[in-house]
Amino acid sequence: MSWIKLDSEHDELDKYQYSNGNIIYYKKNTGIWHNPYGAALLGEDGFKEYWIENKLYRLDGPARIYSNGEEEYWINDEYLTKEEFEVHPERLKYLGKEWLLCLV
């Protein structure tokens, strides 16, 4: 599959567009999928994946969003149901609700 390097909006990220239209962000000068500012993979069809350090990871919503609207929740490359995601310790800390940890 061929690709074109694009200008990235962020100095610490490389941005590539592949022949299938997908755009992928990498940590600068590496093959590590990474974008702390948004989706690291943007599919031509609207598909999105959020990656940090080569791990599916998102604390403020689904880490995988399919073009049909289906969603998957992932933290540190671990799949979670929506219910598990809502009470995950990292998410609660991110939301400033770590006081709820004792209830989970």
Side-chain angles (χ1 to χ4, degrees):
M1 182 180 299
S2 61
W3 47 266
I4 299 169
K5 186 171 185 180
L6 304 173
D7 289 332
S8 177
E9 307 85 346
H10 309 285
D11 292 339
E12 70 275 17
L13 300 177
D14 288 328
K15 180 180 181 180
Y16 291 91
Q17 183 169 21
Y18 288 81
S19 57
N20 63 3
N22 292 348
I23 293 175
I24 300 176
Y25 287 87
Y26 296 93
K27 203 171 204 182
K28 190 85 165 169
N29 300 319
T30 72
I32 297 171
W33 290 35
H34 184 79
N35 187 355
Y37 309 105
L41 183 145
L42 301 163
E44 178 71 18
D45 64 353
F47 178 78
K48 293 181 184 178
E49 285 185 338
Y50 292 76
W51 292 78
I52 299 291
E53 298 283 341
N54 252 3
K55 294 179 183 178
L56 275 166
Y57 185 94
R58 189 173 180 204
L59 296 175
D60 62 345
R64 184 176 279 154
I65 304 168
Y66 293 90
S67 55
N68 66 3
E70 184 181 335
E71 301 174 337
E72 292 181 5
Y73 297 86
W74 295 77
I75 295 177
N76 287 322
D77 225 25
E78 177 188 353
Y79 172 79
L80 304 164
T81 65
K82 186 171 184 174
E83 294 76 19
E84 292 169 329
F85 171 77
E86 292 295 339
V87 297
H88 192 281
E90 282 191 56
R91 177 165 165 75
L92 291 175
K93 287 178 186 173
Y94 169 78
L95 296 172
K97 296 181 178 182
E98 52 274 344
W99 54 274
L100 290 173
L101 288 172
C102 65
L103 302 175
V104 218

